[in-house]
């Protein structure tokens, strides 16, 4: 159930977010690509200043805080991309940011978050509940929680990518193929592009949004979930606010394997000259593996490129 005091995200909010973000950041490229003889498009969110789409939601949420809330500071939970989005916005707005991050997050993401001026609180994944750790920090600091995907302003901010896509295409995309963790981007795009099919793509064993869509209720990850290279796509569950937006809008979810993700990373590098982190390539992996339909008006979200040189080079070697 969604609490009565939680504001629901709206398409009007997405449009307002797109206007705010458009005055701050240039649109990311919409690149043509051919897959199995079909020409479609890739939205290169990996080229954002923080290397991922999360800068959108981070900016829109923090810029909508009251002066009193800004003075209290913010706490966010992230394996790295939301962390950098929030830290980037916080530095620009003069807000103190604390980020709760897993101890096993990629070092490149930890270093980048510190470089943006945020304080980092580490937790063990698996072993500790990240939301509990964040709640303790919020209480201790008197700060505002900026949730990575279950926040209406964050959802609206992520949806601004869809407004850009429609402007770049000159029409609504037929479908959007979306890398999915908790469902913030997918929900935002569903609001931004109401006539487009939304395909959520998650790692095998971590398809919490896909399972929730099928069950009609939030589903938590099972015990001993499989290891995945997609560190950015591992929430324990989606949130009711995301499910509420996506229910009846999103197509049945699909999952991708580590091998399919690595193949997509290699494809992006070879064909698009783009560095994609594993989680950022999940949508492309589904398209390459023929797990989602594509046509000339399909847009595949390439959501992040935050990976270190050594692991990326090892992946390229296959």
């Amino acid at each position: 159930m969604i609490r009565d005091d939680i504001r629901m995200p709206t398409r009007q909010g997405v449009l307002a977010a797109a206007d705010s973000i458009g005055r701050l950041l240039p649109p990311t490229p919409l690149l043509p690509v051919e897959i199995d003889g079909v020409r479609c498009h890739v939205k290169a969110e990996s080229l954002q200043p923080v290397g991922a789409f999360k800068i959108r939601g981070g900016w829109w949420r923090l810029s909508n805080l009251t002066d009193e809330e800004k003075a209290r500071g913010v706490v966010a939970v992230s394996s790295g991309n939301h962390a950098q989005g929030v830290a980037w916005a916080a530095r620009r707005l003069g807000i103190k940011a604390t980020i709760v991050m897993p101890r096993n997050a990629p070092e490149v993401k930890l270093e980048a978050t510190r470089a943006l001026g945020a304080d980092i609180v580490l937790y063990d994944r698996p072993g500790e509940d990240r939301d509990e750790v964040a709640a303790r920090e919020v209480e201790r600091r008197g700060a505002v929680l900026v949730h990575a995907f279950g926040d209406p302003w964050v959802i609206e901010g992520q949806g601004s990518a869809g407004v850009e896509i429609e402007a770049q295409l000159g029409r609504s995309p037929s479908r959007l193929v979306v890398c999915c963790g908790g469902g913030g981007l997918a929900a935002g795009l569903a609001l931004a592009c109401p006539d487009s099919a939304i395909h959520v793509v998650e790692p095998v064993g971590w398809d919490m949004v896909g399972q929730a869509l099928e069950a009609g209720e939030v589903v938590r990850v099972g015990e001993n979930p499989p290891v995945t290279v997609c560190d950015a796509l591992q929430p324990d569950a989606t949130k009711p606010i995301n499910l509420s937006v996506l229910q009846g809008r999103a197509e049945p979810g699909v999952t991708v394997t580590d091998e399919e993700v690595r193949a997509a990373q290699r494809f992006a590098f070879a064909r698009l000259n783009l560095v994609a982190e594993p989680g950022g390539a999940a949508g492309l992996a589904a398209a390459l593996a023929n797990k989602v339909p594509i046509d000339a008006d399909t847009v595949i979200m390439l959501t992040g490129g935050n990976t270190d040189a050594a692991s990326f080079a090892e992946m390229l070697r296959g």
Side-chain angles (χ1 to χ4, degrees):
M1 295 292 291
I2 300 175
R3 297 203 323 262
D4 292 338
D5 61 336
I6 293 181
R7 180 181 77 86
M8 289 298 293
T10 65
R11 189 167 191 276
Q12 195 60 38
V14 171
L15 295 174
D19 179 68
S20 176
I21 292 162
R23 286 185 273 110
L24 191 70
L25 298 168
T28 53
L30 188 68
L31 302 173
V33 66
E34 189 173 297
I35 297 175
D36 292 336
V38 178
R39 186 181 172 92
C40 57
H41 298 83
V42 166
K43 179 68 165 165
E45 286 291 288
S46 56
L47 297 179
Q48 290 285 9
V50 300
F53 74 97
K54 294 285 192 174
I55 196 170
R56 298 175 179 275
W59 171 257
W60 186 236
R61 182 64 189 104
L62 267 62
S63 63
N64 275 278
L65 295 174
T66 65
D67 289 342
E68 183 270 336
E69 288 172 329
K70 289 175 182 176
R72 287 159 50 195
V74 296
V75 170
V77 179
S78 171
S79 67
N81 290 339
H82 179 60
Q84 292 173 72
V86 169
W88 186 91
R91 184 172 69 173
R92 191 174 182 93
L93 293 166
I95 299 170
K96 183 174 179 56
T98 301
I99 315 294
V100 176
M101 300 183 71
R103 204 174 302 277
N104 62 354
E107 188 60 35
V108 65
K109 295 183 178 182
L110 290 165
E111 290 176 359
T113 304
R114 289 192 187 98
L116 287 166
D119 293 337
I120 295 178
V121 175
L122 298 175
Y123 74 97
D124 292 321
R125 179 181 67 179
E128 290 185 273
D129 186 314
R130 67 183 195 168
D131 289 337
E132 289 180 3
V133 176
R136 289 198 298 269
E137 293 299 321
V138 166
E139 183 175 1
R140 184 167 74 87
R141 300 168 186 266
V144 177
L145 178 66
V146 180
H147 198 275
F149 53 86
D151 179 288
W153 288 273
V154 168
I155 291 169
E156 289 171 346
Q158 318 304 29
S160 66
V163 179
E164 282 185 13
I165 288 167
E166 288 195 338
Q168 290 167 314
L169 270 183
R171 56 194 179 278
S172 295
S174 59
R175 63 193 70 253
L176 291 152
V177 184
V178 190
C179 310
C180 188
L185 177 59
L189 292 174
L191 293 170
C193 304
D195 298 324
S196 305
I198 305 294
H199 295 269
V200 297
V201 183
E202 299 168 283
V204 170
W206 291 92
D207 53 330
M208 299 301 95
V209 172
Q211 289 188 42
L213 288 169
E214 184 176 3
E217 61 183 11
V218 172
V219 178
R220 296 196 67 82
V221 69
E223 290 187 16
N224 301 314
V227 174
T228 174
V229 294
C230 299
D231 66 277
L233 307 182
Q234 293 182 266
D236 292 341
T238 188
K239 295 291 186 181
I241 189 172
N242 304 87
L243 180 58
S244 178
V245 173
L246 290 170
Q247 195 79 55
R249 274 290 289 116
E251 303 297 311
V254 300
T255 61
V256 288
T257 66
D258 283 359
E259 292 72 24
E260 289 165 342
V261 166
R262 292 189 183 101
Q265 288 179 277
R266 290 190 283 269
F267 181 96
F269 187 72
R271 299 282 290 277
L272 297 168
N273 292 318
L274 291 175
V275 172
E277 65 182 279
L284 181 57
L288 292 171
N290 298 311
K291 292 184 174 181
V292 294
I294 58 172
D295 59 26
D297 290 334
T298 294
V299 174
I300 301 163
M301 304 300 296
L302 200 149
T303 53
N306 291 315
T307 182
D308 66 276
S311 62
F312 191 76
E314 182 181 352
M315 176 276 303
L316 288 178
R317 286 192 295 267

